[in-house]
C-alpha cells in the first residue's frame, strides 16, 4: 500500500488511527504489529512471510545474545546468523538475478534466472532489523523481550517500506513507553500533508517531463531538452523521496514516535560531502555506523581512509539497485568525496559560495544521469558508459542542437512547475514561515492548518484522478 | 472544562473531517454504474472469486493455480488490491468535482493540454500531434488494393480536417501540432484509383462559422454541409444551397466527448441542428445492423439519444457495423460509404441524392464485406474519415479482404 493512495488515506489510515487512539497504551503495540502486517501484505501477500522471517530471526538472535552475555562465541554466532539471514534475503531477492545475468553475459554461461520479484522495501526493513542485532551485540541497546513490541518495531508501517531507516536505537525508549500529545498529532498531520503535497503535486507532475525525455532518442536530444529532462528527474527524486520521508515522519509523530530526519535541503549544499550529509541522512548514518567506522574510519591513515570511503560509496551505490549503473553512481560519489578530502575541499572553501554550490549541484545532476538515464538491465559496462556519455554529451550540445520545439514546449508547460521545484528545494519557504511566525504568530498558527487543508484537498484531486502514481524508492 | 481552540486541535479536526467524511460519504452514496459525463463504465467492486476462471477450471486446485498471481503483487496490474483502488477512485464522493479541480489546477500551472484537449477561445480541440506512419501506410495500401479489385466501382475519398486545422495558426507551434493539410495531401498523393475530395478548402473558407462543436470532436451539421458541398462536385451532382434547408435546432445543451475529457464547464455547451430539405425531402428507411440484429427506422435521426449525454449519436444512431439507408428517390444511384462517425452528420445531406446508401464501419467488421453486402452492386464508393481517426485507425486495412 502506498501512502498516496485512496485505499491508504481513506480506509487504512482512518481505521488504524481510530483503533490506535481508542485502545489503552498496552494494546497500542499490538495494533502497530497487526496494522504493519496488513499494510505490508496488501502489497506483498506472499513476501510478508519473508519480512516476518527476518523479524523472527532477529528477535530470537536478540534473546540469545542477551541471555549468553558472558559467552562471546555464542553472541558472535547469533550476530552472524542474523547478518547472514538478512543479507541472504537481500542477496537472493535483490542481487541474485543481477549476478546471474552478468555472469551469463560475461562468461557465456546459461544459468537460468529465477526472476524473483523484489519484495517491497526489503532494503529498508532488513537494514532496520539488522541494526538491532548489531547494536545489541555492541551492547549499545537493551534487549527487546516482548515479541509484539519487536515485530511492531520492524513492521511499524510509516517507515516499513521506504525509510527513513529507523534504527532500534532511535526509538527504543518510545517503543514501550511513549506519550502522544495533541501537539505531536497536530504537527504530525502537518508534516504528513507536506509530504503528500511534495509527492503528489510536485514529484508526479515534474516526473512526467522526465518520463517523456527518457523515452526519446538520446542522440537526438537538444541541449536544453537534455538539461530540462535530467533537471526534472533531479527534482522528481528529491520531492518523491523526501515527500515520502515527510509522510513517514508525520505518521510516526501521529502515533507517538520521533523518527530521525532524512533530508535537509540537500540541493543547497556547497560540496559533495555536504550533499551526502543532507541527502538520505539515515542511510548515510547507517553505513557510517556499521561499515565505515568498523573498517577503521579515518583513524588508520590516509590510504586506509580513502579505501574505506570507496567501499562505503560503492556499497551505497549498489544498495540503490542491483545494476551496474548504480554501482557507477556510488563509485562516482566515492571518487568525488575522496577528491574533496584530498584537495578539492580546500578549494571549495575559498571560491565564492555561488560557485561551490554550482559545482556541487551540477555534479549531483550528472550523478542522476548515471542513476536514471540508463537502462538498469544493462550488463555490458561499455554500453552503459555509452548511454551516460551520450546523455551528458547531449547536455553540452553534442547533438548539434541547442534548442528545439520540445524544449520550448517543456518550458511553457512546465515552467511554473520548475519554479515551484526550485522554491521547494530551498529553505525560502521555511524562512518565510519563521518570519511570519515572529511577526504575526496568530496568522501563522491558524493559517498553517488551513493551508494544509488546501494542500490535502488538492492532493486528493490528483490522487483520485491520475493513474500516474509511482513511488521511486520502492524499487530499492 | 471549557473547550479551548488551539492550532493543533484545528489541524486534527480538519484532517479527521476529511479522512472520515470522504469515505463515509462514498460508502453512503448510491453507486452509479457509469459516468455519463466522463462517458465510460465505472469499475465494479472487485470480487475475490474470479467467476470466469472458476467456471473454466476442472477442480478447485486448478482454479487456485490460475488465479494465485492475481493477488500476489500490487505491481501486477489488475490485482485485487489495484481493483479496490480503481473502484474507490471511480466512486469517490464528488468525483467529478475532484476531476474539475485537478484540471483547473493543471491549466493554472501552465499545462496547455488537458487529456489531449487544447482549449482556445471557447473552443475545445482534440490535438493531433503524432501518428504511426505504418498504420497509415497499411490503410493506403489496403485502399489501393480495394480500388484495384473493384475497377468498375468509382471510388472517392474525403479526409475532413478537425477543429485543430481551423485554429492551427493560433496554436503554439512548439507543442508539435501537425498540419492536417500536409497530412491529407500526403495521403491523397499515394492513393491510386481514387478521386480525392478537397473538403479542407471549403471549410477554411468558412472557418469563422460554427463548423465544429465546441465541446465535441465532431463537425457540426454546418461543417458537414461544407464537406457535402466539396463531395457533391466529385460525386457528380450539384449540392443544394443552404437556403434550401429548414434548420431544426434539437439541442442547445450538448456536452460532447471533449467535455468528457476535461469536464471544463467554462466552454459554452453546443447546439445541434438537423438540416431538412424544404422541398422534395426524400422518404427515408434506415436499417441499422448491429452485428446481431437489424432495427428499422423511418428517419436518419434516432431522437432518443437527444435525452442522454451522447447526443451526437442521434445522427443515424451510435457507431454500428452496417447502416443501410433507402430513399424513395428512383435514380438508380447507390453509394457505398466506408466511414467513421463524421459521416453520420454528412449522410443527411448525401441521402438527398441516392436511392440507396450503405454505411460501413470497418472497426466493427472482421470479414470480407461481400459477406454482408454485394460491393459490386453500388454505383459509387466514398471513403469518408476525419484526419485524426484516419491516422489512428488500424481497422481500415481489413478492407483489402474484400474481393
Amino acid at each position: 500500500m502506498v501512502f498516496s493512495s485512496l485505499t491508504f488515506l481513506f480506509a487504512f489510515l482512518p481505521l488504524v488511527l481510530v483503533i490506535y487512539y481508542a485502545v489503552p497504551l498496552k494494546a497500542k503495540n499490538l495494533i502497530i504489529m497487526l496494522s504493519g502486517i496488513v499494510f505490508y501484505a496488501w502489497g506483498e501477500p506472499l513476501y510478508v512471510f519473508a519480512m516476518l522471517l527476518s523479524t523472527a530471526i532477529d528477535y530470537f538472535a536478540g534473546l540469545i545474545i542477551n541471555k549468553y552475555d558472558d559467552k562471546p562465541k555464542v553472541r558472535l554466532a547469533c550476530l552472524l546468523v542474523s547478518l547472514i539471514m538478512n543479507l541472504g534475503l537481500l542477496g537472493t531477492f535483490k542481487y541474485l538475478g543481477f549476478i546471474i545475468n552478468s555472469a551469463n553475459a560475461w562468461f557465456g554461461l546459461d544459468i537460468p534466472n529465477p526472476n524473483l520479484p523484489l519484495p517491497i522495501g526489503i532494503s529498508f526493513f532488513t537494514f532496520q532489523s539488522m541494526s538491532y542485532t548489531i547494536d545489541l551485540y555492541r551492547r549499545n541497546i537493551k534487549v527487546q523481550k516482548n515479541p509484539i513490541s519487536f515485530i511492531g518495531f520492524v513492521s511499524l508501517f510509516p517507515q516499513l517500506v521506504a525509510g527513513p531507516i529507523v534504527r532500534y536505537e532511535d526509538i527504543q525508549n518510545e517503543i514501550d513507553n511513549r506519550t502522544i500529545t495533541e501537539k505531536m498529532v497536530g504537527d504530525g498531520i502537518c508534516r504528513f500533508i507536506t509530504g503528500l503535497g511534495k509527492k503528489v503535486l510536485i514529484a508526479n507532475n515534474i516526473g512526467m517531463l522526465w518520463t517523456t525525455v527518457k523515452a526519446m532518442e538520446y542522440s537526438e536530444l537538444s541541449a536544453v531538452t537534455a538539461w530540462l529532462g535530467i533537471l526534472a528527474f533531479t527534482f522528481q527524486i528529491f520531492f518523491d523521496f523526501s515527500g515520502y520521508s515527510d509522510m513517514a515522519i508525520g505518521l510516526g509523530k501521529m502515533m507517538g514516535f520521533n523518527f530521525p530526519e532524512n533530508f535537509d535541503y540537500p540541493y543547497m549544499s556547497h560540496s559533495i560531502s555536504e550533499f551526502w550529509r543532507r541527502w538520505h541522512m539515515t542511510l548515510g548514518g547507517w553505513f557510517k555506523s556499521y561499515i565505515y567506522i568498523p573498517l577503521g574510519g579515518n583513524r588508520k591513515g590516509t590510504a586506509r581512509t580513502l579505501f574505506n570511503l570507496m567501499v562505503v560509496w560503492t556499497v551505497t551505490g549498489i544498495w540503490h539497485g542491483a545494476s551496474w549503473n548504480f554501482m557507477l553512481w556510488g563509485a562516482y560519489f566515492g571518487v568525488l568525496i575522496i577528491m574533496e578530502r584530498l584537495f578539492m575541499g580546500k578549494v571549495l572553501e575559498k571560491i565564492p559560495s555561488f560557485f561551490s554550490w554550482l559545482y556541487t549541484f551540477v555534479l549531483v545532476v550528472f550523478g542522476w544521469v548515471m542513476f536514471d538515464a540508463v537502462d538498469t538491465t544493462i550488463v555490458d559496462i561499455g554500453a552503459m558508459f555509452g548511454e551516460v556519455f551520450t546523455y551528458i554529451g547531449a547536455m553540452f550540445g553534442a547533438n548539434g542542437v541547442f534548442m528545439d520545439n520540445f524544449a520550448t514546449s517543456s518550458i511553457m508547460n512546465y515552467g511554473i512547475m520548475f519554479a515551484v521545484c526550485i522554491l521547494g528545494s530551498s529553505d525560502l519557504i521555511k524562512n518565510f514561515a519563521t518570519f511570519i511566525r515572529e511577526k504575526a504568530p496568530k496568522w501563522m498558527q491558524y493559517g498553517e492548518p488551513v493551508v494544509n487543508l488546501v494542500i490535502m484537498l488538492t492532493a486528493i484531486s490528483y490522487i483520485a484522478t491520475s493513474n500516474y502514481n509511482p513511488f521511486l524508492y520502492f524499487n530499492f | 472544562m471549557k473547550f479551548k481552540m488551539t492550532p493543533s486541535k484545528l489541524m486534527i479536526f480538519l484532517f479527521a473531517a476529511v479522512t472520515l467524511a470522504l469515505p463515509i460519504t462514498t460508502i453512503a452514496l448510491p453507486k452509479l454504474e457509469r459516468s455519463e459525463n466522463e462517458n465510460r463504465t465505472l469499475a465494479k467492486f472487485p470480487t475475490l472469486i474470479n467467476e470466469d476462471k472458476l467456471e473454466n477450471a476442472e477442480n478447485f486446485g486448478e482454479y487456485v493455480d490460475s488465479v494465485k498471481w492475481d493477488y500476489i503483487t500490487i505491481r501486477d496490474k489488475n490485482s485485487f488490491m489495484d481493483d479496490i483502488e480503481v473502484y474507490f477512485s471511480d466512486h469517490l464522493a464528488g468525483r467529478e468535482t475532484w476531476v474539475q479541480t485537478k484540471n483547473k489546477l493543471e491549466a493554472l500551472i501552465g499545462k496547455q493540454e488537458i487529456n489531449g484537449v487544447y482549449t482556445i477561445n471557447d473552443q475545445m480541440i482534440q490535438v493531433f500531434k503524432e501518428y504511426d506512419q505504418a498504420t497509415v501506410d497499411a490503410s493506403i495500401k489496403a485502399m489501393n488494393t480495394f480500388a484495384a479489385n473493384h475497377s468498375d466501382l468509382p471510388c472517392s475519398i474525403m479526409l475532413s480536417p478537425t477543429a485543430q486545422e481551423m485554429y492551427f495558426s493560433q496554436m503554439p507551434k512548439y507543442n508539435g501540432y501537425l498540419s492536417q493539410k500536409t497530412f491529407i495531401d500526403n495521403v491523397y498523393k499515394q492513393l491510386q484509383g481514387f478521386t480525392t475530395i478537397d473538403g479542407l478548402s471549403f471549410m477554411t473558407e468558412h472557418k469563422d462559422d460554427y463548423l465544429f462543436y465546441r465541446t465535441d470532436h465532431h463537425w457540426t451539421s454546418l461543417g458537414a454541409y461544407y464537406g457535402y458541398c466539396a463531395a457533391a462536385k466529385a460525386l457528380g451532382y450539384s449540392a443544394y444551397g443552404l437556403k434550401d434547408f429548414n434548420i431544426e435546432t434539437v439541442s442547445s445543451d450538448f456536452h460532447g466527448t471533449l467535455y468528457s475529457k476535461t469536464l471544463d464547464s467554462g466552454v459554452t455547451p453546443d447546439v445541434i441542428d438537423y438540416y431538412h430539405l424544404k422541398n422534395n425531402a426524400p422518404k427515408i428507411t434506415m436499417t441499422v445492423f448491429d452485428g446481431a440484429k437489424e432495427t428499422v427506422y423511418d428517419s436518419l435521426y434516432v431522437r432518443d439519444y437527444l435525452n442522454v449525454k451522447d447526443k451526437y449519436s442521434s445522427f443515424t444512431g451510435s457507431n454500428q457495423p452496417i447502416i443501410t439507408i433507402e430513399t424513395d428517390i428512383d435514380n438508380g444511384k447507390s453509394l457505398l460509404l466506408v466511414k467513421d462517425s463524421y459521416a453520420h452528420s454528412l449522410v443527411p445531406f448525401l441521402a438527398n441524392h441516392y436511392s440507396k446508401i450503405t454505411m460501413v464501419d470497418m472497426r466493427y467488421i472482421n470479414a470480407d464485406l461481400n459477406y454482408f453486402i454485394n460491393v459490386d452492386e453500388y454505383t459509387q464508393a466514398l471513403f469518408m474519415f476525419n484526419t485524426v481517426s484516419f491516422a489512428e485507425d488500424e481497422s481500415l486495412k481489413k478492407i483489402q479482404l474484400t474481393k
Side-chain angles (χ1 to χ4, degrees), chain B residues 23-61:
Chain B
I24 291 171
T25 334
T26 301
I27 292 168
L29 284 177
K31 303 288 173 291
L32 298 172
E33 274 183 28
R34 54 176 283 118
S35 160
E36 280 296 325
N37 276 334
E38 289 180 71
N39 204 10
R40 64 191 184 88
T41 309
L42 299 174
K44 290 200 174 61
F45 193 81
T47 46
L48 272 168
I49 306 291
N50 184 327
E51 304 210 344
D52 289 343
K53 287 184 177 172
L54 187 62
E55 232 164 72
N56 290 330
E58 292 272 320
N59 53 47
F60 192 67

Side-chain angles (χ1 to χ4, degrees), chain A residues 287-304:
Chain A
F287 280 129
K288 192 176 173 194
S289 304
Y290 300 120
I291 297 188
Y292 183 66
I293 291 175
L295 283 175
N298 57 5
R299 290 157 308 174
K300 294 191 176 173
T302 311
R304 183 59 190 258

